Amino acid sequence: MVRLSLKSPLLSTFSLLFFFIFFTISFAELCNPNDKKALLNIKKAFNNAYYFASWKAEEDCCTWYSVQCDENSHRIISLTLAVDKQISGQIPPHVGELPFLQYLTFHKLPNLVGPIQPAIAKLHNLKHLDISWTKISGTIPDFLSSLSNLSYISLSFSNLSGAIPSSLSKLPNLSYLQLDRSKLTGQIPDSFGDFKAENFNLYLSHNKLSGKIPPSLSKVDFSAIDLSRNKLEGDAYMIFGAQKKAWNVDLSRNLLAFDMSKVVFSTNLFMLDVNHNKIFGGLPPQMSKLSLTSLNVSYNRLCGQIPKGKKLKRFGVDSYFHNKCLCGKPLESCK
């Protein structure tokens, strides 16, 4: 039997071999080389801005700032570039070379310009797309409808123009669509009544949309809908109903004209803003039973008494004023 002393050359060799194996495993590159190459090309396309200081070629890209790898495959699944003025130029085509990407964010980048990069169409695993608070321009591309895993799209606060593509309604998993504060024109697509997700969130405010709200929207189970500050006309009955789940409805600053007294509200409604329209009729008595936390019906053509009840008394004059002949607390008494 061979006994190894602490000073044995054989023991020292085993110790060195163990340390070498441990060191190699501990510091092995986890990031996929193709993903790493794509990220370094993105960094280069943005002129190696200081934002990418941690993106060093000699280090594992799974440890880089704004990058997330899958715990098992170690492929890049998330890329978030946000809140930086030095990142300038167009979205690099190299983003399309990250095939396992699920989350892609370009947020508050005031010097990001140009169109939405066509290479994004290659990202078939994408679930979350956020290109907001930028200066991207052009139209919303039809190719987004081919990314069937998308559940979240935000393209707000941009210079996007043109019509909203009706093809977005083909996205089977989409439950959040934010296209507000841009320069979009035309009508709300009739196909938007085909969205199937429960608790759908739709934000189209601060654009130049016109025409009537599509009746097809009555089929959508909205959680929140904001169509404010456009040029929409006509009725809005399709947004309301006893069985609706929307907790937030904002239709303010449009050209809508409908009889408010015929509206049936859902008890799920907590925030309602319809100010600056041409809405007529009276406020239905049912409103006194709603647990509203925010209400604004000002600057319309409403008449009659404000429904009595403690729940509506919490709102001040500015929630009701500038109507044709609306009366009752907190306005002047009805004669």
Side-chain angles (χ1 to χ4, degrees), residues 53 133 158 231 238:
W133 294 75
S158 72
K231 298 178 181 179
M238 69 293 295

Side-chain angles (χ1 to χ4, degrees), residues 24-33 35-36 59-63 69-76:
T24 302
I25 293 175
S26 299
F27 294 92
E29 178 86 31
L30 296 177
C31 178
N32 180 276
D35 289 353
K36 188 172 191 177
E59 296 184 6
D60 184 358
C61 70
C62 287
T63 66
C69 289
D70 180 82
E71 293 181 356
N72 298 314
S73 68
H74 306 300
R75 300 303 298 264
I76 303 297

Side-chain angles (χ1 to χ4, degrees), residues 176-222:
Y176 190 101
L177 180 59
Q178 188 169 12
L179 306 177
D180 61 301
R181 297 176 187 271
S182 293
K183 300 177 181 179
L184 301 175
T185 56
Q187 299 185 351
I188 299 173
D190 184 68
S191 64
F192 273 25
D194 297 334
F195 286 118
K196 303 300 182 184
E198 293 185 3
N199 301 317
F200 197 94
N201 292 271
L202 180 64
Y203 299 92
L204 302 178
S205 71
H206 294 76
N207 280 292
K208 299 178 182 179
L209 301 175
S210 58
K212 295 183 177 181
I213 301 174
S216 62
L217 294 192
S218 63
K219 299 183 294 181
V220 183
D221 192 6
F222 289 107

